[in-house]
Amino acid sequence: MDNLIQSLEASLHKGFIDKQFNKSGGYKPKLLVNNFKKNENVLSTLLEELDQSKSFIFSVAFITESGLATLKSHFLDLHRKGVKGRILTSTFLQFNQPKVFRELMKIKNVEVRLTDLKGFHSKGYIFNHDTHYSLIVGSSNLTAHALKINYEWNVKLTSLENGEIVHHFKSQFEEVWEQSKILTEEWIEEYEKTFSQTVENRELEKVIEMPTPYQTNAIEESLNIAPNKMQQAALQQIESVRAAGNDKGLIISATGTGKTYLSAFDVRRFAPKRLLFIVHREQILNKAKSDFKKILGGIDEDFGILSGSNKQINAKYLFATIQTISKQDTLNEFDPQEFDYILIDEVHKAGAQSYRKVIDYFQPKFFMGMTATPERSDDFNIYELFDYNIAYEIRLQEALEEDMLCPFHYFGVTDLDINGENVDDATILTKLVNEERVKHIIEKIEYYGFSGEEVKGLIFCSRKKEAEELSAALNDRGLRTVALTGDDSQEERSLQVNRLENGQLDYILTVDIFNEGIDIPCINQVVMLRQTQSSIIFIQQLGRGLRKHKTKDFVTIIDFIGNYKNNYIIPIALSGDKSQNKDNIRRHTKDTSYIKGVSTINFEEVAKKRIFSAINNSNLTTLKILKDAFTELKNRLGRTPSLYDFIEHHSIDPVVIVDKYSNYYQFLLKMKEEVPAITNYEDKVLTMLSIELLNGKRKHEIVLLDLLMQHGKGEQEELINRLTKEGCKIDEDTIASVKSIFDLSFFTQVFKKKYGDKPIVTLKDNCFLFNEEIRESLVGNPYFKTMVMDLLLCAKEKSEKYDCVHSLTLYEKYSRKDVCKLLNWHNDESGTIFGYKTKHRTCPIFITYHKKDEIESSVNYGDELLSQDVLKWYTRSNRTVNSEEVKTIINAEENNIDLHIFVKKDDDEGTDFYYLGKAKPVKNTVQQDVMKDGKPVVHMNMVMEDTIDQNLYSYIVEGNEI
């Protein structure tokens, strides 16, 4: 408690008296705002406090379904822990709709009351923690816009229980609470009778706006329909492709972003004498024809269908199925130059013979392809087909940022344990549709709900039989569902889609037939009951609900996460991160703030742990995974990618490639690329530069390499000048450390041999020089020089996220060898550091937080983060308070020794540790204890110089048990 009070006092001093106050405190008052550019929002802090609370109270005037949805999975996790809360709200201005009260009734661990206090307009959130209270008070109601988008001011304060401010807030709350009505079903029924949503109510908070003028019926004149801002930019890009003399272009646009309208605008600008629009499914034709007619205008006879049932081949604008147009008899009816402009929808299918036949036959003035998923697994290069001309590209993240899609709330929920076993690939059908699982599915879809008056849902199953039997089981329980599979005709599919749209069905259950090529904008709930096969399929199925529609403010995505080996694909797909870097994927699972707009990503606690388990147990760098990514990038570029291309196109992290293959040249050989030869020594030099510089963890070596590559030599004075310009730390020890890296004296014998066994760079007369062999290689082998320059470019890019002023960057990951280098130790002593080692006035401390159950009792230390500011740390065993190494650490401050704390969650994370910053021992907490094996050990509390980031703290502390 003393530590808490000191930290709180320091925080208040910094927050209210002097911002320059340099004592650490993790509880300083904080202004909470929604800042798109900094990726900050009120919601993230609210969730941090909620997840750590022992109880909570909210006092909010306005609540929306979307706002409540952002908290639902968190409420459920708290319910499992026995944590309860209270919400006080009202019917002020009749803003809160009756349905939101029904949604509140679903949350079992939250008691809700309603006040009729005149002008009730409070927005306050109070969280009770073990040792203190946190308060968030300001302008944000419990709405998704207020928590993520709107310009809001909120203050977060921390108080002990006896603090006057928390006492005032709680007493105010209790006073109103006691006079308020308990929320009941009867109260909701009465409220529904009197509820009327006026125009003024709706203007209070616009939950959704239809994004483009063409979606209103008020505009009848086609030429008055104008493209929106994004479409205008896209049209300019398409026009520039044509202006450059190209007759082909590819549009890559996320599902729901209006590819059809975009293409229609371009056709209107191009003004072809005749247009051919090709699709792969007949039910899309009429919708495409209708959309084009809105944009192009003209008489009905100008627009025709060419399909199995229609043969309007003379129409000016012809909309055809590939099945019909590809028949030789049909093609023969057209002159190859019949159409000025040809459009192919879902063009990623163009590798099929039917498409190639049509493409090879016609000779249009301009040929446009459209797809949301250009990446293929069938070796067909869609980019080559369009001469590598990407006319326009917008992916899911960008589309959300631009408000082009319907916001979504994704819930990764826990699939059922059946007889103690998780649902996985081997689970038999009878278990998938047994009464217990059906009940579990219904509970989840009801709890997480949907936006709008009635559910219009799609459920993706893993097998045809599961879809059929689950549909029957759901119907037995009062839902109206139908199963559709590949066995059903197009007519049957269209009929059932119409029934869903018209409110005659609640759900359509399917396997894969609705992944693409179907447009049901009213979908307000997507349920995933199948294994995540690939990022592409995941995004396709997610995209079924992302079209905007007047009947919904958001779409609910409910993903049942079973015991599948590739659950890690979920955060990859949602974040768009293809780096195959496990640490990135872990972060995207824990911290989902990368998702833009009012959309949110939520994982129930157990589901999250299943994903972490899948990440730990999966090999993300198998030859197949890396080869697929390499081929995809090569296809896109039309050439062998450079290493920097992987960064530029957001593909695999180059460090991942180097960790597996030592250098990029070796990787290219593995990919069976025809590349110029390099010598054995050149290969070893590339390996050294790749392993030691590519990760960018210290900029100094990169600056020196850049200097050498530019001028062939580097004066020490020039190096210091450049480092100064970069804002880097400069001292004798650091420069000496850089020298020891390049002359290899820092490394162990094993690494010296791996790196060529002789200095790569020498320092003579204050001038750095490559050794003679490298100088000759750079002149005599242009390919070797190209490889070094490529590597240097990547290293510069990677170095941008590291602190150049300080040796180490908070919350980045480092190996023991990295730490030896960055702390300017003369040699790599990583093999003898073990838990900690004091040297050169530094002492790095390495902690594996969750040890394996089978670990020996002699090394199973009880290291524990007591809070975001305090670490309880154990020395090695068989040490006493009188051991010299222990006394050195206890008296670190007096001895001018910096203690650096490095922590990894568990051994599954590999050899790298998160850097949590410096720490200082609290002397009055030093105690000698005894290990289980009877050997002495010393433990003490250490106060962190920097309060540990909440997301990282939670990630490290949380156990992995499912």
Side-chain angles (χ1 to χ4, degrees):
M1 182 58 77
D2 288 342
N3 289 331
L4 173 64
I5 292 173
Q6 289 172 12
S7 181
L8 188 55
E9 287 175 345
S11 299
L12 293 173
H13 192 110
K14 192 176 185 73
F16 289 105
I17 299 173
D18 182 6
K19 67 179 181 180
Q20 305 298 331
F21 187 64
N22 59 9
K23 280 195 177 179
S24 174
Y27 303 102
K28 63 178 181 286
K30 185 178 178 182
L31 177 66
L32 305 181
V33 297
N34 297 315
N35 188 318
F36 174 81
K37 290 181 179 177
K38 292 184 178 179
N39 206 23
E40 295 175 349
N41 56 61
V42 178
L43 178 63
S44 59
T45 302
L46 191 150
L47 291 178
E48 285 173 12
E49 295 297 329
L50 183 64
D51 290 345
Q52 301 300 316
S53 68
K54 300 303 175 186
S55 66
F56 55 90
I57 55 177
F58 295 176
S59 179
V60 284
F62 302 148
I63 305 175
T64 61
E65 286 181 72
S66 189
L68 191 59
T70 65
L71 309 183
K72 276 188 173 180
S73 66
H74 300 267
F75 285 147
L76 199 60
D77 286 331
L78 291 172
H79 183 45
R80 291 193 185 101
K81 298 175 187 175
V83 174
K84 296 181 179 180
R86 293 182 287 167
I87 294 178
L88 178 65
T89 186
S90 75
T91 57
F92 182 51
L93 298 178
Q94 284 196 320
F95 177 88
N96 294 339
Q97 298 193 23
K99 188 168 176 243
V100 83
F101 291 118
R102 287 212 158 80
E103 294 300 313
L104 283 163
M105 290 281 287
K106 296 177 182 177
I107 304 167
K108 303 303 180 188
N109 56 325
V110 175
E111 184 181 354
V112 182
R113 290 194 183 184
L114 301 122
T115 177
D116 54 7
L117 192 66
K118 190 175 181 180
F120 181 80
H121 207 236
S122 67
K123 298 109 176 172
Y125 308 83
I126 303 178
F127 307 93
N128 179 15
H129 301 288
D130 278 332
T131 56
H132 63 280
Y133 283 87
S134 296
L135 300 84
I136 296 176
V137 182
S139 64
S140 289
N141 277 297
L142 187 44
T143 73
H145 271 69
L147 296 176
K148 285 204 76 185
I149 296 292
N150 293 347
Y151 185 77
E152 306 275 352
W153 276 20
N154 300 274
V155 176
K156 176 188 165 187
L157 302 170
T158 305
S159 170
L160 296 182
E161 186 171 9
N162 289 331
E164 187 172 24
I165 190 162
V166 75
H167 171 75
H168 277 315
F169 273 106
K170 284 174 66 182
S171 62
Q172 279 285 311
F173 178 88
E174 297 294 351
E175 184 179 323
V176 181
W177 179 266
E178 289 302 320
Q179 299 171 18
S180 300
K181 297 174 183 175
I182 298 172
L183 179 64
T184 63
E185 182 62 37
E186 292 74 23
W187 182 91
I188 296 173
E189 289 174 2
E190 284 300 313
Y191 181 61
E192 280 179 320
K193 294 175 185 176
T194 59
F195 178 78
S196 61
Q197 190 178 34
T198 64
V199 174
E200 287 77 19
N201 295 150
R202 289 198 299 273
E203 287 300 313
L204 283 171
E205 177 151 348
K206 291 183 179 178
V207 180
I208 188 170
E209 293 179 3
M210 300 309 282
T212 50
Y214 57 71
Q215 286 175 302
T216 172
N217 293 327
I219 301 173
E220 298 293 336
E221 297 281 333
S222 65
L223 291 177
N224 289 336
I225 303 177
N228 62 23
K229 183 180 175 183
M230 288 300 295
Q231 288 164 338
Q232 288 172 8
L235 290 169
Q236 287 178 358
Q237 290 179 40
I238 297 168
E239 189 57 44
S240 67
V241 167
R242 282 197 289 266
N246 299 300
D247 59 3
K248 295 177 181 176
L250 180 63
I251 294 175
I252 303 169
S253 187
T255 300
T257 52
K259 292 191 295 291
T260 306
Y261 279 105
L262 174 61
S263 63
F265 283 126
D266 190 57
V267 169
R268 187 170 76 181
R269 174 185 288 190
F270 191 91
K273 292 179 181 176
R274 289 200 75 188
L275 162 77
L276 176 63
F277 188 112
I278 301 172
V279 301
H280 71 289
R281 284 190 180 158
E282 191 167 343
Q283 65 258 45
I284 308 171
L285 285 178
N286 284 318
K287 179 69 167 63
K289 187 181 84 166
S290 171
D291 289 344
F292 265 73
K293 191 177 177 190
K294 286 180 186 176
I295 305 301
L296 301 179
I299 59 176
D300 289 345
E301 287 74 18
D302 282 348
F303 298 83
I305 297 286
L306 176 58
S307 66
S309 54
N310 284 288
K311 298 288 187 293
Q312 300 163 336
I313 63 171
N314 294 318
K316 180 178 180 180
Y317 306 117
L318 186 59
F319 297 81
T321 62
I322 188 63
Q323 294 84 354
T324 304
I325 192 80
S326 62
K327 291 176 181 176
Q328 193 60 51
D329 289 347
T330 308
L331 283 176
N332 291 340
E333 295 190 51
F334 297 99
D335 184 284
Q337 296 181 342
E338 186 88 33
F339 300 99
D340 308 63
Y341 196 127
I342 294 179
L343 260 164
I344 297 184
D345 194 24
E346 307 291 1
V347 76
H348 53 265
K349 298 177 181 294
Q353 183 58 38
S354 57
Y355 282 91
R356 299 312 302 264
K357 188 176 177 182
V358 173
I359 291 166
D360 292 343
Y361 181 81
F362 286 111
Q363 299 165 23
K365 290 180 181 176
F366 193 68
F367 175 28
M368 178 73 83
M370 301 188 295
T371 180
T373 54
E375 302 83 5
R376 306 305 301 153
S377 58
D378 55 8
D379 293 329
F380 174 66
N381 187 354
I382 189 72
Y383 301 100
E384 182 181 20
L385 181 63
F386 290 89
D387 300 334
Y388 306 99
N389 297 318
I390 300 173
Y392 171 66
E393 180 170 13
I394 185 165
R395 300 295 181 112
L396 176 65
Q397 293 288 341
E398 298 167 287
L400 286 169
E401 287 178 30
E402 296 295 334
D403 193 30
M404 299 175 76
L405 301 174
C406 177
F408 68 86
H409 295 300
Y410 168 92
F411 300 98
V413 308
T414 313
D415 210 332
L416 192 65
D417 286 356
I418 301 171
N419 299 328
E421 296 179 2
N422 304 143
V423 169
D424 63 14
D425 300 335
T427 304
I428 61 173
L429 181 64
T430 53
K431 289 185 177 180
L432 291 179
V433 292
N434 70 12
E435 186 171 343
E436 191 181 0
R437 188 173 188 243
V438 173
K439 181 183 175 186
H440 179 70
I441 291 169
I442 291 173
E443 283 177 357
K444 293 295 184 184
I445 62 179
E446 287 185 350
Y447 178 76
Y448 287 111
F450 55 89
S451 173
E453 293 303 312
E454 54 186 4
V455 67
K456 296 179 188 296
L458 276 182
I459 300 179
F460 289 99
C461 300
S462 57
R463 316 166 204 176
K464 290 180 182 179
K465 272 291 183 186
E466 181 190 6
E468 291 163 355
E469 294 191 18
L470 185 57
S471 174
L474 293 174
N475 291 342
D476 288 343
R477 287 159 178 78
L479 290 170
R480 301 168 301 165
T481 77
V482 67
L484 290 178
T485 70
D487 298 336
D488 292 297
S489 66
Q490 295 291 350
E491 291 74 21
E492 177 65 13
R493 296 179 196 181
S494 296
L495 171 66
Q496 299 302 348
V497 167
N498 287 334
R499 292 183 68 209
L500 184 75
E501 291 177 320
N502 295 332
Q504 296 170 279
L505 282 178
D506 299 318
Y507 292 95
I508 292 175
L509 287 78
T510 185
V511 183
D512 286 325
I513 63 169
F514 281 2
N515 287 0
E516 58 186 358
I518 188 74
D519 187 8
I520 318 174
C522 65
I523 292 291
N524 55 20
Q525 192 186 78
V526 177
V527 181
M528 300 176 177
L529 288 174
R530 79 295 164 273
Q531 180 182 1
T532 302
Q533 298 287 354
S534 72
S535 295
I536 294 172
I537 293 173
F538 180 90
I539 293 299
Q540 284 176 341
Q541 295 181 347
L542 176 78
R544 293 310 98 207
L546 294 184
R547 294 189 187 277
K548 292 193 172 189
H549 194 261
K550 61 185 178 182
T551 63
K552 64 183 183 183
D553 295 336
F554 61 90
V555 60
T556 303
I557 314 292
I558 306 172
D559 191 0
F560 286 76
I561 296 176
N563 192 30
Y564 299 123
K565 291 179 182 177
N566 55 355
N567 281 335
Y568 63 84
I569 285 176
I570 298 167
I572 289 175
L574 289 167
S575 65
D577 183 342
K578 301 177 183 177
S579 67
Q580 299 302 112
N581 183 315
K582 285 191 174 185
D583 290 320
N584 290 352
I585 302 170
R586 289 187 187 99
R587 289 191 185 193
H588 292 324
T589 306
K590 177 66 186 170
D591 178 7
T592 61
S593 59
Y594 53 81
I595 206 74
K596 304 304 182 196
V598 299
S599 298
T600 59
I601 296 168
N602 312 270
F603 293 102
E604 291 179 4
E605 198 60 42
V606 175
K608 191 188 303 176
K609 288 175 180 176
R610 284 187 179 161
I611 291 175
F612 284 143
S613 177
I615 295 169
N616 293 341
N617 296 328
S618 298
N619 181 357
L620 304 190
T621 58
T622 62
L623 182 59
K624 183 183 185 312
I625 290 173
L626 296 181
K627 188 172 184 178
D628 286 348
F630 175 80
T631 303
E632 180 189 319
L633 188 54
K634 184 179 179 182
N635 286 347
R636 184 185 182 97
L637 299 171
R639 58 172 171 78
T640 300
S642 68
L643 197 56
Y644 188 70
D645 283 325
F646 285 92
I647 292 179
E648 200 167 31
H649 293 278
H650 310 289
S651 186
I652 291 174
D653 184 346
V655 173
V656 169
I657 295 174
V658 165
D659 282 349
K660 192 172 179 72
Y661 292 101
S662 295
N663 63 53
Y664 190 50
Y665 181 78
Q666 289 298 324
F667 175 72
L668 290 175
L669 293 180
K670 198 72 177 175
M671 295 297 104
K672 296 184 168 36
E673 288 291 296
E674 293 184 12
V675 291
I678 64 173
T679 67
N680 183 50
Y681 182 64
E682 288 168 348
D683 183 62
K684 289 186 175 184
V685 171
L686 281 180
T687 294
M688 180 273 173
L689 297 176
S690 298
I691 292 175
E692 301 301 335
L693 272 68
L694 179 65
N695 58 36
K697 291 180 181 179
R698 185 162 69 181
K699 189 173 277 189
H700 300 66
E701 285 90 344
I702 299 166
V703 170
L704 177 54
L705 179 61
D706 192 25
L707 191 60
L708 291 169
M709 292 302 291
Q710 284 184 37
H711 304 293
K713 63 179 182 177
E715 298 288 343
Q716 186 162 324
E717 185 179 349
E718 176 61 19
L719 172 64
I720 291 171
N721 287 339
R722 290 202 178 194
L723 290 172
T724 302
K725 284 182 182 177
E726 294 283 351
C728 292
K729 170 186 177 182
I730 303 168
D731 54 50
E732 285 186 18
D733 289 342
T734 304
I735 299 300
S737 175
V738 171
K739 179 179 177 296
S740 75
I741 296 300
F742 278 111
D743 67 18
L744 305 190
S745 62
F746 170 80
F747 300 104
T748 62
Q749 200 57 45
V750 171
F751 277 95
K752 284 179 182 176
K753 188 174 181 181
K754 187 174 184 177
Y755 296 161
D757 229 356
K758 59 183 172 184
I760 288 174
V761 175
T762 56
L763 178 62
K764 187 176 181 180
D765 298 328
N766 286 324
C767 183
F768 290 97
L769 279 173
F770 281 123
N771 70 40
E772 187 176 349
E773 193 170 346
I774 295 175
R775 292 201 301 273
E776 288 176 359
S777 289
L778 289 171
V779 174
N781 189 344
Y783 186 65
F784 171 69
K785 183 176 182 179
T786 298
M787 295 292 282
V788 175
M789 291 301 294
D790 182 29
L791 189 154
L792 177 59
L793 201 57
C794 292
K796 286 180 180 178
E797 182 79 22
K798 300 287 283 183
S799 71
E800 290 304 310
K801 71 173 182 175
Y802 291 98
D803 187 342
C804 194
V805 178
H806 302 94
S807 302
L808 298 156
T809 303
L810 275 177
Y811 314 135
E812 294 300 334
K813 293 192 85 172
Y814 300 94
S815 66
R816 288 180 172 88
K817 188 177 85 170
D818 291 332
V819 173
C820 290
K821 176 175 81 172
L822 294 169
L823 292 180
N824 296 333
W825 288 15
H826 301 155
N827 302 102
D828 173 12
E829 300 187 36
S830 56
T832 57
I833 288 180
F834 305 114
Y836 55 94
K837 192 170 191 174
T838 303
K839 201 143 192 175
H840 308 304
R841 297 196 180 279
T842 60
C843 179
I845 295 172
F846 296 91
I847 297 167
T848 302
Y849 203 82
H850 297 279
K851 282 82 171 175
K852 301 288 186 185
D853 292 338
E854 64 272 14
I855 197 166
E856 292 180 25
S857 60
S858 61
V859 291
N860 194 5
Y861 311 110
D863 302 313
E864 182 183 5
L865 285 166
L866 302 178
S867 71
Q868 290 170 253
D869 293 286
V870 181
L871 166 69
K872 183 180 182 181
W873 175 73
Y874 282 69
T875 66
R876 280 188 279 267
S877 70
N878 214 16
R879 302 295 189 274
T880 69
V881 289
N882 295 315
S883 300
E884 283 304 317
E885 69 179 53
V886 176
K887 288 195 289 185
T888 299
I889 290 173
I890 293 171
N891 298 309
E893 201 167 355
E894 292 86 337
N895 295 331
N896 198 25
I897 293 171
D898 289 333
L899 305 180
H900 297 274
I901 308 299
F902 299 86
V903 178
K904 64 179 176 180
K905 187 181 182 77
D906 52 46
D907 283 328
D908 289 327
E909 288 206 340
T911 59
D912 288 5
F913 296 74
Y914 289 103
Y915 178 54
L916 302 187
K918 294 179 185 178
K920 292 178 182 177
V922 181
K923 291 187 178 181
N924 62 8
T925 66
V926 176
Q927 288 186 30
Q928 186 172 312
D929 216 329
V930 180
M931 300 285 284
K932 288 181 181 178
D933 62 359
K935 293 179 181 177
V937 69
V938 177
H939 62 78
M940 66 194 76
N941 288 352
M942 291 194 179
V943 176
M944 304 302 301
E945 186 175 280
D946 296 277
T947 299
I948 302 168
D949 172 77
Q950 172 66 47
N951 275 316
L952 182 57
Y953 171 79
S954 299
Y955 168 67
I956 291 169
V957 171
E958 289 167 1
N960 287 324
E961 300 79 16
I962 294 176

